[in-house]
């Protein structure tokens, strides 16, 4: 089934000019076309309208630390939503990793740095569908844009025939997104599937 994601502004590649009223045509798990909405609107696809900036998915370089060292508290624990660094019993590591992955999706993350050595974490990452890439294990936060540019944290540009991994943010431009951070994520699409949508 074809889905056309229309956004106020489309960023196919942060090093190229943005496309006002742009769209990404998704066929299954892949990108079928990108460009101005007017050029793609006759594709016979279901249309999702997004009021914001659509960008390629982000890479969080702190994935190993966030999922194997930090603890992601359950909302019922009333400890907040930021990762904590207490000692976590092995039996709670899988649940913590799953919560961490959900929170990463809520920041437009579609790839994260590993390696993941704990079996419960490795299983959670594999099941999530996020792409794991080599990393350093450095400590850091959920927001890959904290102190970074969009160009430095995009996992890969949107390309025709490539995997449909992208995010939509409540921002009108790249500069505004870099100022506000990835916490303004409205939606994250991973392999063509809408896995996160802000309520």
């Amino acid at each position: 089934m074809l889905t056309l994601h229309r956004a106020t502004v489309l960023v196919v590649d942060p090093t190229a000019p943005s496309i006002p009223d742009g769209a990404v045509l998704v066929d299954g798990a892949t990108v079928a076309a990108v460009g101005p909405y007017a050029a793609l609107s006759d594709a016979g696809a279901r249309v999702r309208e997004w009021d914001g900036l659509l960008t390629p998915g982000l890479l969080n370089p702190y994935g190993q630390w966030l999922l194997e060292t930090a603890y992601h508290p359950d909302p019922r624990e009333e400890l907040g939503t930021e990762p904590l660094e207490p000692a976590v019993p092995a039996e709670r590591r899988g649940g913590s990793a799953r919560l961490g992955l959900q929170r990463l999706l809520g920041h437009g993350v579609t790839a994260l740095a590993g390696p993941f050595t704990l079996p419960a974490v490795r299983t959670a990452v594999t099941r999530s569908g996020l792409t794991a890439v080599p990393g350093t294990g450095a400590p850091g936060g959920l927001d890959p844009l904290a102190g970074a540019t969009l160009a430095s944290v995009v996992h890969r540009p949107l390309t025709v025939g490539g995997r449909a991994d992208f995010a939509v943010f409540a921002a009108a431009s790249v500069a505004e997104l870099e100022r506000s951070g990835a916490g303004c994520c409205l939606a994250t699409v991973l392999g063509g599937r809408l896995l996160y949508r802000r309520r």
Side-chain angles (χ1 to χ4, degrees):
M1 178 176 183
L2 294 173
T3 304
L4 188 62
H5 293 266
R6 179 184 189 183
T8 309
V9 179
L10 169 63
V11 176
V12 175
D13 181 336
T15 62
S18 300
I19 302 171
D21 194 18
V24 177
L25 181 63
V26 176
D27 185 2
T30 61
V31 175
V34 294
Y37 172 73
L40 303 176
S41 60
D42 293 335
R46 173 181 63 170
V47 178
R48 287 191 185 269
E49 304 256 353
W50 301 108
D51 185 19
L53 182 73
L54 191 153
T55 75
L58 308 183
L59 166 66
N60 187 302
Y62 313 116
Q64 183 185 33
W65 183 86
L66 284 166
L67 300 182
E68 294 197 340
T69 301
Y71 174 63
H72 298 272
D74 185 288
R76 294 170 291 195
E77 294 177 281
E78 298 182 1
L79 295 172
T81 58
E82 291 301 310
L84 307 173
E85 200 175 351
V88 181
E91 66 271 10
R92 296 181 74 186
R93 182 53 58 196
S96 172
R98 288 188 295 278
L99 280 170
L101 289 163
Q102 291 171 2
R103 290 172 179 153
L104 286 164
L105 286 168
H107 284 80
V109 172
T110 59
L112 64 166
F116 302 103
T117 58
L118 301 176
V121 173
R122 202 169 41 245
T123 298
V125 171
T126 300
R127 289 182 178 168
S128 75
L130 274 82
T131 301
V133 300
T136 64
L142 292 167
D143 185 353
L145 279 170
T149 64
L150 181 63
S152 70
V153 296
V154 159
H155 177 227
R156 58 180 161 233
L158 292 171
T159 57
V160 174
R163 189 169 134 132
D165 291 349
F166 53 87
V168 183
F169 299 94
S173 67
V174 170
E176 183 181 331
L177 174 60
E178 290 173 344
R179 281 193 306 274
S180 63
C184 68
C185 183
L186 301 173
T188 303
V189 173
L190 192 59
R193 296 177 301 140
L194 180 62
L195 292 187
Y196 169 79
R197 185 172 192 169
R198 186 190 289 180
R199 295 178 182 168

